Amino acid sequence: MVNNVDEHADEQLYNCVQNRTSFFLFAGAGSGKTQSLIQLLNKTREIWGKTLMSEGRHVAVITYTNAATNEIINRLNYSPLFHVSTIHSFVWDVIKPYQEDIRYWYIKNNKDKLNELEIKHASSKSTTTKTYISDTDKINKIQKKIEKAPSIKQFIYNPNGNNLEYNSLNHSDVITISSQMILKNEMLQKIIAQQYPFLFIDESQDTKKELIDAFFKIQEKFSSIFTLGLLGDQKQRIYMDGKENLASIIPQDWELPVKHMNYRCSKRIVTLANKIGLRIDAMAEQEPKDDAPEGCVRLFLVNMTEGQDKELIEKNIREQMGHFTEDSSWKDPVNDVKVLTLEHLMAAKRLGFASLYEILSKVKKYSMTLLQGKLSELELFTKRIFPIVDSEKEKSIEALNILKKYSPLLSRESREDAYGDLKKCQDAVCRLTELIDADASIREVVSLLKETQLLTVSGVILNALNLSIHEIEENEDDADEELMAWVRLMELPISEMRMLDNYLTQKTNYDTHQGVKGLEFDRVMVIIDDSESKGKWFSYDKLFGVKKISETDRKNEEEGKETTVDRTMRLLYVTCTRAKKSLVLVMYTTDVDMVKRNMINNEWFEENEIIPWESITTE
């Protein structure tokens, strides 16, 4: 049995650390890239750890998400040798001492933006009034930023926040400014090289291209003291700001180890992934493990019609997959099937919180923290109301602990009638539980809290409680965007708030195509429905031949630039390679025959693996 074909790649990596040679590791889906990274970091500690620690220097590891950062830190036993962080956190730590340089680039970049907008604004008077007003508003905001910049004592930044303070940099500012500072300042390059003699970048294909250029510059100038290691997979670049054709610009003196085996997927899924992957990258082909299961893939084609019950269709398809695979777990999607949608709203519709999600997602202040599940305004519901109700039903003491901390009834410093307050608290919890079970409106639930003083209601939620939609609509031009959103939320059922919390905390079986990169599941259902997607960067209809490619795509293809089809193909590769045992693609389309013909011609699916949904429903 040959399941260790990639040992040579790990040996190459160890030699790179030993000999201070920079490298790019090509590691496809399921190839054990994270394990190789951990082993490499341990090897680096073994060889260089004592020296670096005695000199106060560190090994930098850049990951793509906070979750990945925490996992690596944990697997390295919290060793102080390693500085593990996301890209935004890393570069901010590097540049934040240089406040005057930050100010210079901040002003310069905003002046450049202002100049571009003014040129556009001057020529846009003949276009729509809405566009003209929008440009005017942007110009005014940028002018205010430029005017305030000289008086800012210190620029601040939170990698996990919305950064709304007057002296905050936004996420784009930090990437742009840090890239410019590193590229233009040789002294800063040397400081980074000396402080972090080893810098390893995971998911390097999706790292901001400006920063890749900056790190390449450091490696070029200080190659004797700075070792750069990139780990990634060209086929899994799914974000627009990653470096195109990264492999093609790797210097000739770098090592290029390749991991060929897919330890995750069944044989049939590896075959499908290879067919897709070879259209993206000539080094894409992988081998399954000798003892990998055969696996199962299916493509269900649903003729798109108005008013379809997609939730019912998808439930029936999962049942069909249970028959094909002889795996009853396909019929229990809550626990055993990962369902991937292209956008969060598609999941929200299927899970029953679409109205709430649409309202919250349009609030600019919430753009970052909402999808991270860190929106403080929701904590009244997610960390107090729901846990109290759940605890009450489970007869646990958690409700009492929460109430002691947050309830005005139980947190009074001096109470004349402690028993009476406790009784009021118990009665209020019972009424709260009844409202939640009856799926009352958010307004009714919050009104109960205010009336009974069970929990403190404050801020925008309290302000919204005291207003009606009618009052807001009458003064819409002057109303605060956040307040308007919460007034509208008040009329929605509390179950939408509960389901949003479940979704954001990964308690449902839904996720997005982009959100599962790096993860794996036994059974995966991929929902493909361009009619529900509002994005312009991906088009499965173009990839599968239902729609013709645009003139822009045609021009980009002729110029060697990436197209909508290229981006969508990489996204499809990511989704398909999440499945370990079995995989089903469900495509809603206006041309079932065209999709079927193209899939067979591409040799992605066998004819018996492609199932028009109507052929089942009419039997």
Side-chain angles (χ1 to χ4, degrees):
M1 186 178 298
V2 183
N3 284 335
N4 58 351
V5 297
D6 291 331
E7 282 186 359
H8 69 285
D10 289 326
E11 288 297 330
Q12 276 184 277
L13 293 176
Y14 302 156
N15 289 334
C16 288
V17 166
Q18 178 75 61
N19 302 322
R20 304 300 306 270
T21 305
S22 294
F23 65 86
F24 185 108
L25 171 67
F26 293 83
S31 62
K33 174 170 60 68
T34 301
Q35 181 62 27
S36 287
L37 174 59
I38 297 298
Q39 291 174 352
L40 178 63
L41 293 173
N42 283 324
K43 196 70 169 180
T44 307
R45 174 165 50 189
E46 178 186 316
I47 299 171
W48 299 98
K50 288 183 179 179
T51 301
L52 295 180
M53 288 295 290
S54 67
E55 296 170 349
R57 299 194 288 165
H58 301 276
V59 175
V61 185
I62 293 176
T63 64
Y64 203 78
T65 65
N66 288 320
T69 296
N70 294 334
E71 180 187 354
I72 291 173
I73 290 173
N74 181 56
R75 290 173 69 173
L76 293 170
N77 296 319
Y78 300 89
S79 169
L81 172 66
F82 301 103
H83 180 94
V84 188
S85 64
T86 61
I87 187 66
H88 288 82
S89 295
F90 178 79
V91 295
W92 177 243
D93 284 343
V94 167
I95 69 170
K96 67 182 177 183
Y98 308 101
Q99 288 287 321
E100 287 308 311
D101 294 281
I102 292 172
R103 189 190 319 278
Y104 168 80
W105 287 106
Y106 178 80
I107 294 172
K108 182 181 185 306
N109 292 340
N110 276 297
K111 284 182 176 179
D112 290 344
K113 289 179 191 175
L114 183 62
N115 185 52
E116 290 176 12
L117 269 173
E118 286 176 338
I119 293 172
K120 178 187 172 187
H121 188 66
S123 61
S124 66
K125 294 179 181 179
S126 60
T127 62
T128 65
T129 303
K130 185 176 180 181
T131 301
Y132 187 79
I133 293 172
S134 175
D135 286 348
T136 303
D137 184 51
K138 289 176 184 176
I139 286 171
N140 291 335
K141 287 179 179 178
I142 293 174
Q143 285 174 333
K144 287 179 182 178
K145 286 183 177 182
I146 295 171
E147 290 168 6
K148 287 182 179 178
S151 64
I152 292 175
K153 293 182 179 179
Q154 183 170 17
F155 289 90
I156 61 173
Y157 170 67
N158 179 358
N160 301 311
N162 283 308
N163 296 293
L164 299 175
E165 293 87 349
Y166 80 99
N167 59 333
S168 291
L169 298 176
N170 63 39
H171 307 292
S172 177
D173 286 335
V174 168
I175 293 299
T176 303
I177 291 172
S178 60
S179 302
Q180 291 165 326
M181 286 175 63
I182 295 170
L183 282 169
K184 299 292 184 180
N185 189 329
E186 187 170 331
M187 180 58 70
L188 185 56
Q189 295 169 17
K190 188 173 183 179
I191 290 170
I192 294 170
Q194 290 177 331
Q195 181 61 42
Y196 304 105
F198 293 91
L199 172 60
F200 301 125
I201 305 178
D202 195 14
E203 302 290 357
S204 57
Q205 74 281 350
D206 276 320
T207 301
K208 306 283 185 178
K209 49 181 171 278
E210 305 97 322
L211 284 171
I212 288 291
D213 290 338
F215 293 139
F216 271 45
K217 190 74 172 178
I218 300 173
Q219 198 279 328
E220 178 188 344
K221 285 275 187 71
F222 301 98
S223 58
S224 62
I225 63 169
F226 180 73
T227 302
L228 181 60
L230 307 181
L231 300 89
D233 179 9
Q234 296 282 80
K235 304 180 296 303
Q236 296 187 69
R237 183 171 68 83
I238 58 177
Y239 294 105
M240 295 290 294
D241 44 14
K243 187 79 173 178
E244 288 186 45
N245 302 315
L246 178 57
S248 66
I249 63 167
I250 300 299
Q252 290 186 351
D253 59 345
W254 284 33
E255 287 290 325
L256 302 175
V258 181
K259 292 182 71 92
H260 292 283
M261 180 159 283
N262 184 318
Y263 297 91
R264 173 191 301 151
C265 303
S266 64
K267 292 176 180 177
R268 179 63 187 91
I269 294 172
V270 172
T271 300
L272 172 62
N274 284 340
K275 292 289 185 182
I276 299 170
L278 287 169
R279 296 268 299 271
I280 305 167
D281 181 358
M283 300 179 71
E285 193 159 11
Q286 291 184 296
E287 302 173 31
K289 292 195 301 180
D290 287 352
D291 57 351
E294 286 301 320
C296 174
V297 299
R298 290 292 186 273
L299 170 62
F300 279 81
L301 300 176
V302 184
N303 193 32
M304 199 157 44
T305 58
E306 195 170 342
Q308 282 176 311
D309 187 342
K310 294 177 180 177
E311 191 175 350
L312 179 60
I313 290 171
E314 290 153 22
K315 177 178 180 292
N316 290 337
I317 289 174
R318 288 194 293 269
E319 290 177 355
Q320 289 292 323
M321 284 299 291
H323 295 310
F324 289 132
T325 59
E326 298 182 349
D327 178 359
S328 60
S329 293
W330 268 99
K331 300 176 185 180
D332 183 15
V334 174
N335 298 312
D336 293 317
V337 179
K338 195 66 175 179
V339 182
L340 305 182
T341 59
L342 191 55
E343 295 187 352
H344 293 288
L345 183 57
M346 293 170 67
K349 289 177 180 177
R350 287 159 171 81
L351 290 169
F353 65 94
S355 297
L356 184 130
Y357 178 77
E358 285 194 282
I359 291 171
L360 287 177
S361 63
K362 290 175 182 175
V363 179
K364 186 177 180 181
K365 179 181 175 181
Y366 299 162
S367 60
M368 184 79 173
T369 49
L370 173 61
L371 294 179
Q372 291 181 337
K374 297 179 180 179
L375 188 59
S376 60
E377 287 76 10
L378 295 181
E379 290 184 358
L380 174 64
F381 304 90
T382 62
K383 293 188 177 179
R384 293 164 206 167
I385 294 174
F386 298 144
I388 287 171
V389 171
D390 292 343
S391 173
E392 176 70 8
K393 291 180 177 180
E394 296 165 2
K395 305 300 181 185
S396 74
I397 64 168
E398 181 62 21
L400 184 59
N401 292 334
I402 295 171
L403 291 167
K404 282 180 179 178
K405 186 174 182 180
Y406 295 110
S407 175
L409 291 173
L410 297 187
S411 61
R412 294 173 182 170
E413 292 183 3
S414 60
R415 298 196 301 269
E416 294 181 4
D417 185 8
Y419 176 79
D421 286 341
L422 184 60
K423 182 66 170 62
K424 288 179 184 178
C425 202
Q426 290 174 329
D427 292 343
V429 169
C430 288
R431 289 175 61 189
L432 177 64
T433 303
E434 289 172 0
L435 284 180
I436 299 294
D437 288 345
D439 200 14
S441 71
I442 293 173
R443 181 180 296 279
E444 290 175 284
V445 172
V446 176
S447 295
L448 175 68
L449 302 183
K450 182 183 177 185
E451 173 202 334
T452 62
Q453 296 187 62
L454 181 67
L455 293 169
T456 301
V457 181
S458 59
V460 68
I461 300 177
L462 179 61
N463 293 336
L465 181 65
N466 297 325
L467 293 170
S468 67
I469 289 179
H470 177 69
E471 289 173 300
I472 281 290
E473 288 177 343
E474 281 187 342
N475 302 284
E476 189 160 357
D477 292 339
D478 300 320
D480 175 78
E481 177 188 52
E482 184 184 15
L483 179 61
M484 287 173 60
W486 276 97
V487 172
R488 292 191 170 106
L489 289 179
M490 287 292 162
E491 310 313 316
L492 298 179
I494 191 68
S495 59
E496 290 208 29
M497 188 68 75
R498 168 80 87 163
M499 193 52 72
L500 171 66
D501 180 42
N502 289 345
Y503 179 67
L504 295 178
T505 54
Q506 301 290 305
K507 293 174 185 172
T508 76
N509 62 315
Y510 282 84
D511 211 322
T512 60
H513 292 196
Q514 299 92 329
V516 292
K517 189 172 71 168
L519 303 178
E520 59 183 41
F521 314 93
D522 285 339
R523 303 157 202 87
V524 172
M525 170 183 273
V526 181
I527 308 297
I528 297 172
D529 188 349
D530 284 358
S531 70
E532 283 195 70
S533 170
K534 296 178 182 178
K536 62 180 180 178
W537 302 113
F538 303 99
S539 173
Y540 282 99
D541 282 339
K542 289 181 181 179
L543 176 61
F544 289 177
V546 176
K547 284 185 179 178
K548 293 182 179 179
I549 65 171
S550 66
E551 283 303 314
T552 300
D553 278 332
R554 195 182 305 280
K555 182 179 178 182
N556 285 337
E557 186 176 18
E558 291 172 356
E559 294 176 358
K561 299 178 181 177
E562 74 171 22
T563 66
T564 305
V565 169
D566 295 331
R567 289 190 291 272
T568 310
M569 197 173 328
R570 292 197 299 267
L571 194 61
L572 178 64
Y573 178 86
V574 169
T575 59
C576 290
T577 53
R578 299 313 93 196
K580 295 166 66 177
K581 295 181 179 178
S582 48
L583 166 75
V584 60
L585 275 60
V586 180
M587 181 172 184
Y588 295 89
T589 177
T590 57
D591 197 334
V592 168
D593 292 335
M594 175 68 78
V595 176
K596 181 176 180 179
R597 191 159 55 247
N598 284 331
M599 291 302 95
I600 293 172
N601 290 341
N602 285 339
E603 297 182 347
W604 289 5
F605 293 89
E606 301 290 339
E607 186 165 3
N608 67 316
E609 295 174 330
I610 303 175
I611 302 145
W613 176 241
E614 283 70 18
S615 69
I616 294 177
T617 56
T618 56
E619 285 180 1

